[in-house]
Amino acid sequence: MSATDLRPTQMEFEGMGASEPGALGDEDTDLSILGEAGPDFDRSRSEQDNAVRAEAMREAMSDIANIVTRAAQSKEKLTRATIKAKFGRSGADDRPLVFVVIHALTTEQVAKNVEVAKEAGADGVFLINHDFDYPQLLPIIRHVRGLFPDLFLGSNFHTLNGADAFPILGRLAREGVKLDAFWADNACIDHERALPEQPMAAKILDTRASSGWDGLYFGGTAFKNPRNHVKLCRPVPLEASASVAATAAHYMDVVTTSGPASGEAPTIDKIQAMREGCKETPLAVASGVGADNVAQLAPYVDAFLVASSVQADTHNIDPAKLAAFMAQLSSAPGPDSAERDHGTGQKVQGGVGVGPGGEARGGMWRRVE
């Protein structure tokens, strides 16, 4: 482009507030500057435009995060009754919720196992990354959410607690990738400290509140740690089970416990004590629950996270084992059907959720709003 091509027209001069070309000053000097700086000027303008757009996007995402945070802070505490209501359960269908834990390996493997869980009538799935670090799980989560937009989808970033995980969940939410729940093996509840003296659990709670993520928090309490991993729970003696559950109930939506190791069930004494401590906060069990013991545990538990007892191998769910588990659960007494004391002094009795053919009834295969 020549300098002549860059000369403003008379109309452009008038638009600039000049009555004639000479009003701009030295025409040759101005044109030479324009001629030399043209490409750089265009590039600079483009970079400025991109920066403005990026800043506007950051501000919009920040606004969204603030809205979600305010909504999360104003939510009523989840209870045994409200978690059932979130899944459309009412009346006689009072059996515990069932979430299938899938040890993620590939997107295809996870999708196949989601279909198995769906067919069995489970209430949702949790994905966990035992075979790689959590960043490799994120594209799998994105893919699965895209394939199953109505799926109740949770995750466990192995060994990460909420202080590290909630910001990641917030970023995913701002991408439009919603995780309905996060399960941490260690909610950092110290059984040797009184309720107000839980600095790490309080930090996690604050991080959650500011993250922009608005899902359910399943917090590992008195949870398995057979190898004494420094990032996982310290052993909790049986006599402290009720008190640690009572403390945990202040810091999470669902108090989540386990047996001493994968595939090993917790004792009924431990579960009864934790049920008493939780009072009306939901209680979940995440190991050692199978078709052989689900009926014994069901009256005290609001949710089961099942894996090893229903697996064909480490990475695949066995449809027959999962169907057997669901069938046993359907005929087991639910959380409100066995006469017991919740620690509130009230006895309750209800019915059992069984389908016409003895199959598990419910399985609300949708995201919780």
Side-chain angles (χ1 to χ4, degrees), residues 64-66 68-69 72 166 169-171 173-174 207-214:
I64 292 170
N66 289 336
V68 171
T69 296
F166 289 134
L169 301 177
R171 289 196 294 273
R174 290 189 286 276
T207 303
R208 178 190 182 187
S210 62
S211 68
W213 177 73
D214 186 25

Side-chain angles (χ1 to χ4, degrees), residues 118-136:
K118 177 179 178 180
E119 183 66 24
D123 294 283
V125 303
F126 279 83
L127 308 185
I128 188 168
N129 58 305
H130 274 304
D131 293 270
F132 39 70
D133 289 337
Y134 83 86
Q136 292 174 258

Side-chain angles (χ1 to χ4, degrees), residues 117-324:
K118 177 179 178 180
E119 183 66 24
D123 294 283
V125 303
F126 279 83
L127 308 185
I128 188 168
N129 58 305
H130 274 304
D131 293 270
F132 39 70
D133 289 337
Y134 83 86
Q136 292 174 258
L137 182 61
L138 301 184
I140 296 176
I141 289 171
R142 294 184 181 100
H143 183 78
V144 171
R145 174 52 79 208
L147 289 177
F148 304 95
D150 296 325
L151 166 69
F152 182 92
L153 177 63
S155 72
N156 178 315
F157 300 145
H158 188 49
T159 74
L160 263 62
N161 63 41
D164 297 317
F166 289 134
I168 300 167
L169 301 177
R171 289 196 294 273
L172 285 171
R174 290 189 286 276
E175 288 179 25
V177 180
K178 174 67 188 297
L179 275 170
D180 297 288
F182 172 69
W183 156 37
D185 286 351
N186 186 7
C188 300
I189 304 298
D190 188 342
H191 70 276
E192 295 179 342
R193 290 175 177 262
L195 176 60
E197 301 173 359
Q198 298 288 334
M200 193 61 204
K203 177 184 176 183
I204 291 171
L205 197 63
D206 290 342
T207 303
R208 178 190 182 187
S210 62
S211 68
W213 177 73
D214 186 25
L216 300 182
Y217 176 26
F218 288 63
T221 305
F223 207 81
K224 62 188 177 185
N225 186 8
R227 298 180 181 177
N228 295 315
H229 195 294
V230 295
K231 291 187 177 181
L232 301 180
C233 290
R234 292 190 297 128
V236 176
L238 177 60
E239 59 269 22
S241 296
S243 61
V244 76
T247 299
H250 292 269
Y251 293 95
M252 60 202 68
D253 297 308
V254 183
V255 177
T256 306
T257 194
S258 72
S262 295
E264 296 186 29
T267 65
I268 191 66
D269 290 342
K270 174 183 178 178
I271 298 306
Q272 287 174 331
M274 292 191 72
R275 172 75 276 151
E276 179 181 352
C278 285
K279 293 185 169 60
E280 288 307 308
T281 296
L283 175 65
V285 174
S287 80
V289 182
D292 59 335
N293 64 354
V294 65
Q296 183 185 27
L297 295 172
Y300 310 100
V301 175
D302 302 290
F304 291 117
L305 280 63
V306 295
S308 56
S309 66
V310 296
Q311 287 175 335
D313 56 56
T314 303
H315 300 104
N316 292 289
I317 304 301
D318 185 320
K321 288 181 180 179
L322 181 55

